[in-house]
Amino acid sequence: MLLYHGSNVIVERPRLIEQNRLLDFGFGFYTTTNKAQAVSFAEKVVRFRGGQRAVSVYEFDQSGLASLDILRFESANEEWLDFVSANRSGTYADKQYDLVWGAVANDDVYETFTLYTAGAYTKEDTLKALKIKKLYDQVVFTTEQAIACLRFAGTVDLTKEV
């Protein structure tokens, strides 16, 4: 399986770097199976940090998954909403996983999510609104053991991407 990582630099050797912002699935190396999502993220990174768009591509060796502690969300359900809310607010203090896989609260979802965290939407309203959104995925590697499942496979030629 191919995974993509959008940034302002090519990342041949993924590593865990301390982050100064609160993300959907907490601390980790973020990837996606959706190339367009990675390109979009690379564009955002360049707007905020400068540099040039870069999308690194990885082969994801899933043969070692049995030895990893994985949290996988099949949809943007109540469990996903609680997990993302706790991570984004900095209050998540439960079990730590090697790998977390599920929907990304991208720009299309952000407004709905913001209304929920501000108290304007109930949990039920939020989950109902999310059902009509096109949700992309994110695969987050949170330990060195999980990152060891990635093999750099090259980059996306962004001169051919819209």
Side-chain angles (χ1 to χ4, degrees), residues 13-151:
R13 291 192 176 107
R15 58 192 175 114
L16 298 172
I17 299 172
E18 192 68 34
Q19 299 174 6
N20 61 358
R21 61 188 206 271
L22 302 171
L23 303 172
D24 291 355
F25 291 169
F27 173 73
F29 184 73
Y30 279 68
T31 65
T32 180
T33 61
N34 185 281
K35 181 169 50 170
Q37 176 76 9
V39 171
S40 174
F41 188 75
E43 290 167 353
K44 286 181 199 147
V45 172
V46 167
R47 277 197 305 271
F48 290 109
R49 296 187 187 155
Q52 294 192 332
R53 297 180 311 158
V55 175
S56 302
V57 183
Y58 307 93
E59 289 278 351
F60 179 26
D61 178 5
Q62 298 181 55
S63 64
L65 291 182
S67 65
L68 298 179
D69 201 359
I70 300 170
L71 176 60
R72 184 163 186 169
F73 298 101
E74 297 301 326
S75 65
N77 56 23
E78 185 173 347
E79 182 185 14
W80 173 88
L81 184 60
D82 290 344
F83 187 76
V84 172
S85 296
N87 277 297
R88 284 191 165 198
S89 67
T91 61
Y92 184 78
D94 291 335
K95 183 176 181 173
Q96 298 300 308
Y97 298 90
D98 296 304
L99 188 135
V100 183
W101 194 328
V104 60
N106 63 9
D107 289 346
D108 191 39
V109 175
Y110 187 74
E111 183 178 338
T112 301
F113 197 84
T114 300
L115 290 168
Y116 171 67
T117 57
Y121 274 10
T122 64
K123 187 178 283 188
E124 293 75 24
D125 294 335
T126 304
L127 293 171
K128 185 177 177 181
L130 289 173
K131 285 184 181 179
I132 62 170
K133 303 283 187 191
K134 178 160 177 60
L135 300 175
Y136 297 110
D137 70 350
Q138 56 192 347
V139 183
V140 181
F141 297 79
T142 64
T143 63
E144 293 298 333
Q145 182 182 4
I147 285 179
C149 296
L150 293 176
R151 300 286 177 263

